[in-house]
Amino acid sequence: MKNNLLKIMRELWISIAIIHQTDGKGDKKMKKIVATLFLMTSFLSLADIILDSSNTKPAINEPFNIQVKFINEDKKDYKIEGIENLQILSKGTQSKYSYINGEKTNEKIDSYTVMANEIKTFPLSVSITGKNEKSNTLNIEVQKESVQNISDDMSVETSIKNGDSFYFGEKIIYEENFLTTVNINSVGYSRVPQFNDFSEKDISPVITKGGYEQSYFRAPSGKQGLKLGIYRGILQPNSSGEKTIKSGQMAVTQSTGRRDFFFEETTPPKYFGGNNIKINILPLPTDKPMGFQNIVGTPKIDYSWNSDNISFGQSIVLNVKIFGDANLDSLEKVITTQFNDFNIFESLKSTDEKVENGKYFAEKTFEVALIPKKSGKLTTPEIKIPYFNTKEKKYDFLIITPKKIVVNGNGSISTTQPTPTTPTISNTTNNTVSNTTQPLEEIKIDSIAVEEKSQSKNNNLLIIGLITLVIVEGIVIVYLLTKKDKKSSLDDINALKSAKDDKEFYEAYCHFMKRKYNFSPKVHLEDRLVKLGFSNDFIELNRELESAYYNNTPIDRKDIIIRIKKELRNEK
């Protein structure tokens, strides 16, 4: 448009020049026309800053693109006013040159993939930092969430659906899988799942196994597909009522089939997921039985006795295993009441928690020693362990039936301590005490006091010595661990310095991040860096390094090393 106007203005200039040559009159009038045209030409020849969008009426959680274009001028520092209303998913930069009717146009473009997280209307515009220059204004109107329909080739599957119900205290397994019947280049989270008012234990395959879990499936179309386990977690609601789980948003790229000398080109990322899943957490009934230890689910019990015939003074041992799809976190004891005929000593032997075939599984084993208080034929009382059955929707009991045992020998254990008696001294007729007895008693008492005092002092010295030893050992261990970590970090820095090319440098960087922070730049997205507490400068460093590596542009290795060293110093 602007180029066309400039062409028209040039033609007007030529026409005016011809008229001026054929008619020398009206110089003053001509000067006014020339000045006006000069100002108009100068205005039209100014460079443009244009803000463009692929969609001005996007749905909530629907990714779309915006572009900031600098036409016929160098790119300047700028601010996108209104961008705080959008989540930036990715950013790219490109330059374009074109010739139209002999006129050269130079464009420098910043492209953003963004997404709105709430329904609202707001303006977007670009302003140049420190200057009174602005772009055009776009009015963004965010619509209601659209129904997700990815494609027949790719889909996202969640283990929990809208409207599902669970009980308070129940352990909930939540999984997100990506299903595809076509080849993909990469898949990962641009935003991880969000669980408000839930306790979460992340046991995703990428954490427990170092990579996505893979299996095959048959699509309705008959095609065989690949299923990738992206997320798996154990959730426990913190309260009852309606809850919202925001599913993770996945970024997927495919291969274009084209490749340069080193790398295969990929398509721009497509974003799937990010939906709200509303579930209902039901409260437990109020008629809780005595001894309820917040066991919720469908547990089972196995138990065994080591004997049914013992001697008096020995113990009979009960081994108990409680297991199944149940929350056993608060289970501390098998027996919560006192037995009349037995003293009870109980210990927790082992505990386990995992997911098997998409279902929650927990297990606890206990060892209970029962020592009879008397001999003869005895029977242990029935042991009842209350729990809330989520299938039957009522309280129930795990039961250990009574056990008949024979206690051989004679004796009994009193449950009360005998009251000590105070010895008395009877007066003799002469009312005299031997002179040799009294001093001996005094010497004996004094020697006991000195002995007890000496023993106490020795114990104190022993305790002080042990505490000192523990402190010294702790300092040595911390020193050795710190020294080892410093040496490893120094080795990583040396590997970065000695890299022969950008590819080797990037591989050394990936090794450093994986070893020190359990972060793989090739697998994880930068939201994980935020969770790990990295500075904005280091997150930008990671972004620049990945962009340079995958776009095959030179990496400023010295600058990267300096910034990594700075981050390591800030950790101290």
Side-chain angles (χ1 to χ4, degrees):
M1 176 79 178
K2 181 183 287 186
N3 290 332
N4 291 336
L5 289 172
L6 287 169
K7 188 174 181 182
I8 294 170
M9 295 303 297
R10 263 191 228 99
E11 291 174 355
L12 285 172
W13 274 104
I14 294 169
S15 301
I16 290 169
I18 293 171
I19 293 170
H20 185 63
Q21 288 175 0
T22 56
D23 186 0
K25 299 177 182 180
D27 282 345
K28 288 185 178 180
K29 188 175 182 181
M30 184 62 65
K31 286 178 180 178
K32 289 181 180 179
I33 295 173
V34 169
T36 303
L37 287 173
F38 177 77
L39 289 172
M40 291 177 66
T41 305
S42 299
F43 173 75
L44 288 170
S45 63
L46 287 174
D48 275 342
I49 306 168
I50 297 175
L51 180 63
D52 198 6
S53 174
S54 62
N55 190 355
T56 58
K57 295 184 178 181
I60 187 172
N61 297 323
E62 176 188 357
F64 65 101
N65 297 318
I66 60 174
Q67 290 186 332
V68 180
K69 300 179 181 179
F70 293 85
I71 301 178
N72 294 329
E73 71 165 307
D74 292 333
K75 188 168 69 172
K76 302 173 182 176
D77 291 336
Y78 64 89
K79 176 184 177 183
I80 304 177
E81 297 178 357
I83 196 67
E84 65 274 7
N85 297 297
L86 299 170
Q87 177 189 353
I88 299 175
L89 303 174
S90 64
K91 178 188 175 184
T93 301
Q94 61 177 335
S95 297
K96 293 171 63 177
Y97 299 91
S98 61
Y99 289 88
I100 302 175
N101 296 328
E103 294 295 326
K104 179 182 176 182
T105 301
N106 172 25
E107 294 185 18
K108 292 181 175 64
I109 304 171
D110 282 347
S111 297
Y112 297 82
T113 301
V114 296
M115 182 181 70
N117 295 319
E118 57 180 311
I119 299 172
K120 63 192 307 186
T121 299
F122 55 91
L124 273 184
S125 63
V126 175
S127 61
I128 302 300
T129 305
K131 294 187 179 181
N132 190 22
E133 292 183 49
K134 273 199 168 188
S135 72
N136 57 304
T137 299
L138 298 177
N139 196 44
I140 305 298
E141 300 177 24
V142 183
Q143 313 293 310
K144 285 184 178 180
E145 192 167 19
S146 58
V147 178
Q148 184 185 24
N149 183 14
I150 298 177
S151 72
D152 294 333
D153 298 327
M154 294 183 284
S155 61
V156 173
E157 173 187 79
T158 60
S159 60
I160 296 177
K161 311 300 181 188
N162 259 321
D164 284 353
S165 294
F166 302 92
Y167 277 97
F168 177 68
E170 187 174 357
K171 291 290 185 91
I172 305 168
I173 301 302
Y174 178 72
E175 295 179 331
E176 291 187 355
N177 302 309
F178 182 78
L179 288 73
T180 178
T181 57
V182 296
N183 291 331
I184 62 172
N185 186 68
S186 67
V187 59
Y189 279 123
S190 59
R191 188 186 66 223
V192 297
Q194 297 174 10
F195 310 102
N196 295 324
D197 204 22
F198 284 92
S199 298
E200 175 209 7
K201 182 179 181 181
D202 190 347
I203 53 170
S204 297
V206 75
I207 294 176
T208 58
K209 300 179 181 179
Y212 296 138
E213 203 170 67
Q214 299 184 16
S215 60
Y216 295 96
F217 73 98
R218 184 69 62 181
S221 62
K223 293 181 180 179
Q224 180 172 303
L226 180 66
K227 179 179 178 179
L228 299 175
I230 309 297
Y231 175 86
R232 179 180 297 133
I234 302 173
L235 308 181
Q236 186 174 346
N238 297 330
S239 61
S240 58
E242 187 179 76
K243 308 294 177 186
T244 299
I245 295 174
K246 197 170 190 65
S247 66
Q249 186 176 66
M250 300 182 193
V252 182
T253 63
Q254 293 179 270
S255 172
T256 62
R258 299 188 301 271
R259 61 183 301 126
D260 59 17
F261 188 75
F262 291 105
F263 306 107
E264 189 173 30
E265 293 183 14
T266 61
T267 61
K270 296 178 181 178
Y271 296 92
F272 305 134
N275 295 337
N276 289 332
I277 303 173
K278 294 187 181 297
I279 63 174
N280 191 30
I281 304 300
L282 305 171
L284 296 179
T286 55
D287 56 335
K288 297 178 182 178
M290 185 72 70
F292 180 64
Q293 298 183 70
N294 297 314
I295 303 174
V296 179
T298 53
K300 297 178 181 178
I301 187 169
D302 281 341
Y303 62 91
S304 63
W305 300 87
N306 72 331
S307 178
D308 57 4
N309 194 313
I310 60 174
S311 298
F312 181 75
Q314 294 180 335
S315 65
I316 181 170
V317 178
L318 169 65
N319 291 296
V320 180
K321 180 173 74 172
I322 299 173
F323 61 96
D325 181 3
N327 183 353
L328 304 179
D329 288 355
S330 299
L331 176 62
E332 296 180 350
K333 289 185 175 183
V334 173
I335 301 173
T336 57
T337 59
Q338 296 294 323
F339 290 175
N340 292 331
D341 295 335
F342 298 88
N343 288 322
I344 302 167
F345 299 91
E346 187 171 339
S347 62
L348 175 65
K349 304 300 290 184
S350 66
T351 181
D352 189 21
E353 181 182 51
K354 57 188 175 182
V355 175
E356 291 183 339
N357 299 320
K359 293 185 177 181
Y360 178 76
F361 178 87
E363 178 181 293
K364 282 189 174 183
T365 59
F366 296 85
E367 185 178 87
V368 185
L370 292 89
I371 302 177
K373 296 178 182 179
K374 60 184 180 180
S375 59
K377 294 182 179 179
L378 304 178
T379 302
T380 64
E382 181 182 67
I383 301 170
K384 301 175 73 174
I385 305 168
Y387 70 96
F388 182 78
N389 190 319
T390 52
K391 284 188 177 179
E392 301 295 331
K393 300 178 173 53
K394 65 176 184 178
Y395 290 103
D396 209 337
F397 296 90
L398 299 172
I399 295 177
I400 299 174
T401 56
K403 176 73 172 176
K404 293 182 178 181
I405 62 172
V406 175
V407 182
N408 300 305
N410 296 319
S412 64
I413 299 175
S414 175
T415 57
T416 60
Q417 295 292 332
T419 304
T421 58
T422 304
T424 59
I425 301 175
S426 58
N427 292 327
T428 63
T429 308
N430 296 327
N431 196 23
T432 60
V433 180
S434 171
N435 290 333
T436 58
T437 305
Q438 187 172 354
L440 288 174
E441 289 296 325
E442 290 176 358
I443 292 169
K444 186 177 181 182
I445 293 171
D446 289 344
S447 62
I448 291 172
V450 171
E451 193 174 308
E452 288 178 349
K453 185 175 181 181
S454 175
Q455 183 67 31
S456 175
K457 184 176 180 181
N458 289 336
N459 288 340
N460 290 339
L461 290 173
L462 179 62
I463 291 170
I464 292 170
L466 289 173
I467 292 173
T468 304
L469 181 62
V470 169
I471 292 172
V472 170
E473 286 182 346
I475 292 171
V476 171
I477 291 169
V478 170
Y479 170 76
L480 291 175
L481 290 175
T482 305
K483 186 176 179 181
K484 181 180 178 183
D485 186 64
K486 284 182 179 178
K487 185 179 183 305
S488 299
S489 297
L490 184 61
D491 291 341
D492 290 329
I493 295 295
N494 289 334
L496 289 168
K497 288 180 178 178
S498 60
K500 297 176 182 178
D501 51 34
D502 286 352
K503 184 177 181 181
E504 189 174 320
F505 183 87
Y506 183 73
E507 292 297 333
Y509 169 75
C510 291
H511 174 77
F512 161 67
M513 294 298 290
K514 181 70 176 176
R515 180 199 64 78
K516 189 167 179 63
Y517 304 108
N518 196 26
F519 173 84
S520 175
K522 294 180 180 179
V523 176
H524 301 132
L525 297 175
E526 66 182 36
D527 63 282
R528 191 177 180 89
L529 292 176
V530 177
K531 282 187 173 182
L532 290 170
F534 280 94
S535 65
N536 291 333
D537 181 64
F538 193 87
I539 293 172
E540 183 64 29
L541 175 151
N542 182 75
R543 191 179 299 157
E544 290 172 8
L545 189 56
E546 286 193 0
S547 176
Y549 179 73
Y550 288 108
N551 291 320
N552 201 24
T553 57
I555 296 174
D556 189 345
R557 300 184 211 170
K558 288 185 179 179
D559 179 64
I560 295 294
I561 291 172
I562 290 171
R563 291 159 72 183
I564 289 175
K565 286 182 177 179
K566 180 181 177 182
E567 188 72 22
L568 290 174
R569 283 196 300 271
N570 291 338
E571 287 181 356
K572 296 178 181 178

